[in-house]
Amino acid sequence: MNYGMFKRVALMGALASLSGYAQVCNTLTLYKDGSYAGRMEESTRSFPEAPEWSTNWGDFDNMQNPYIRLSGMRNYRGDWTGSLVFDALPVKVNGGTLKIKARSSQKGNFGVWLSGNSGAGHISFHELEANKTAVLTIPVQELMGSESFEVDKVGIGLFDVPANQYTNFFVDDIEFSCAETAGSSAGGSVNGSGGNTEVGNGTSGNSAVLENSDALFQTEYSFVDVNPASAIRKGLFDSAYVRSTSAHYEAAERTSLQQKTSVNFVLSENEHNQIVNFREAKKLTPKASRDGWYKSLFYIDRNRLKDGVIANPKQVFNEANEMAALSNYTLMPLLLADLDYAVSYCADTACATHALEDSSLLLAGLPSSYITGSKFRLVYDPYFTVTTRKTLPHVEICVAGKCQSLDPKSEIMVEFDSAGVHELQVKITSGNLNVQQHLFVEVK
């Protein structure tokens, strides 16, 4: 982690992390060897078939039977998701990691998330190779945005599963490395170990203050010297590094599309509509507000026709969250995206042929669903802008009818008068394109 550039903000984060050592920290196994009972909530399940909880299809690499199996096939492309509930839950987790093994008979995009007393957290995406077990160790803070959290469900999903493709999916060996338990827990095993969000709907405050933030917390922020159009980012935090999303288009399809368009990204109509719906939403939960930028850029990046066109959006998002965490969520970089893409529309009623239509992405986001305390610093650092353009968008922030420009390499302070969910309006201008978004954050 490159702490030098963040000066006293980094010191605050380091001091805050020391308090974690006083917390109870035990390894808690939720599922292993089919020994612990569990279920999948039917209200959240979109897997085609119900899970088999202790099944044996033989031993795989890094996965021995029995294990959980979820399988099926649909006649349309889509996401398969569901929430797993184990007898050992709910439990308070104090940082550490979530460990889980996942395996699919087809190459795919696996996602895992946590939910609990404060709602659902951030989805951690991982590319699965066909018939190869992925052994994943995911920091809880990456999933929840905080180190201490009461977990009652583990969400899993296969995303963008192709139509008419029968898929076997296996999950095994699920455990937390740092759970707050004093002894054995029903439906799970507990072992002592060395010590080391999303939030529901609240009520919006009616007033807020925007002002310069030079004196807030008496900390300094050093802006990163980077060409925003460059795909190269220094990598500010080792813990935030992630691999690029696997490209959706195979080489032959890439070549075919490159002959039809000059843009570097081609999205489906459904993906385009999801981006538009987020951008134009007038009301969102803080979680949906936080996730919208990430999901929109995931669609962009996975549908690339060339590699290395933009900075890795997953890494930019994770680093923005790390930056916010260093200040205990009293400072947040503004996430921005400004680029062109094409939308693939059905050109006939049978959708046998497609036509491309040009579109543009101009989008803002926040890396956290909440702030700590009634005020926070909002920073426009070009490092957290994903773009292919040589110029940066103009940004204006409006809260409770009061607006202020937020220029590149500058910051403002936003102050709310109460706890609960609050709205920020973000006005973005790039060339002839103007966008106004409504973002939401909870004051804790």
Side-chain angles (χ1 to χ4, degrees), residues 153-164:
K153 300 169 192 173
V154 177
I156 59 171
L158 285 178
F159 292 85
D160 202 32
V161 182
N164 302 314

Side-chain angles (χ1 to χ4, degrees), residues 64-288:
Q64 282 71 48
N65 76 89
Y67 30 67
I68 303 170
R69 172 178 174 258
L70 295 109
S71 304
M73 180 175 67
R74 296 195 188 282
N75 61 1
Y76 56 87
R77 181 183 290 269
D79 301 336
W80 300 357
T81 62
S83 295
L84 300 175
V85 181
F86 299 98
D87 283 357
L89 300 176
V91 67
K92 186 175 181 182
V93 177
N94 293 321
T97 60
L98 169 68
K99 297 180 181 179
I100 186 171
K101 294 180 180 180
R103 181 184 182 92
S104 175
S105 60
Q106 310 288 345
K107 179 181 178 181
N109 189 26
F110 169 62
V112 59
W113 63 98
L114 302 175
S115 60
N117 60 339
S118 295
H122 170 59
I123 301 175
S124 179
F125 289 103
H126 304 268
E127 295 297 323
L128 299 181
E129 298 181 30
N131 296 315
K132 185 174 182 179
T133 303
V135 182
L136 306 174
T137 301
I138 308 164
V140 167
Q141 187 166 3
E142 175 186 324
L143 293 166
M144 297 311 308
S146 64
E147 291 192 347
S148 184
F149 185 81
E150 184 176 284
V151 176
D152 60 15
K153 300 169 192 173
V154 177
I156 59 171
L158 285 178
F159 292 85
D160 202 32
V161 182
N164 302 314
Q165 174 178 289
Y166 194 91
T167 300
N168 284 304
F169 177 61
F170 306 94
V171 182
D172 197 9
D173 296 346
I174 306 171
E175 74 173 30
F176 289 114
S177 68
C178 191
E180 190 168 312
T181 53
S184 61
S185 178
S189 66
V190 182
N191 297 298
S193 65
N196 241 90
T197 105
E198 166 54 64
V199 206
N201 292 319
T203 56
S204 296
N206 294 321
S207 64
V209 176
L210 293 170
E211 60 186 60
N212 291 330
S213 59
D214 294 340
L216 180 60
F217 306 120
Q218 300 298 317
T219 60
E220 299 177 19
Y221 182 94
S222 296
F223 294 91
V224 185
D225 186 15
V226 66
N227 174 6
S230 171
I232 305 300
R233 293 292 190 271
K234 296 178 182 178
L236 307 180
F237 303 95
D238 294 338
S239 59
Y241 175 77
V242 290
R243 294 185 302 168
S244 297
T245 299
S246 296
H248 173 64
Y249 297 111
E250 300 293 344
E253 196 169 8
R254 279 189 176 194
T255 301
S256 175
L257 288 169
Q258 286 169 347
Q259 294 172 351
K260 300 175 184 178
T261 180
S262 60
V263 299
N264 293 310
F265 311 93
V266 177
L267 277 63
S268 70
E269 185 176 357
N270 178 58
E271 291 166 329
H272 167 72
N273 289 338
Q274 290 191 57
I275 292 175
V276 172
N277 290 340
F278 167 67
R279 186 181 65 205
E280 296 181 353
K282 298 297 191 296
K283 190 68 176 177
L284 294 165
T285 66
K287 176 186 182 301

Side-chain angles (χ1 to χ4, degrees), residues 279 337-339 360-364 393 428-430 433-435 437:
R279 186 181 65 205
D338 184 13
L339 45 84
S360 295
L361 180 77
L362 187 57
L363 203 66
I428 323 170
T429 302
S430 177
L433 186 61
N434 295 284
V435 167
Q437 278 184 254

Side-chain angles (χ1 to χ4, degrees), residues 362-397:
L362 187 57
L363 203 66
L366 298 173
S368 173
S369 62
Y370 68 91
I371 61 171
T372 302
S374 62
K375 55 188 176 182
F376 73 102
R377 295 160 60 183
L378 187 61
V379 178
Y380 186 171
D381 189 335
Y383 185 92
F384 299 102
T385 298
V386 175
T387 184
T388 53
R389 310 193 196 286
K390 296 180 179 179
T391 57
L392 288 164
H394 173 74
V395 174
E396 190 175 4
I397 305 296

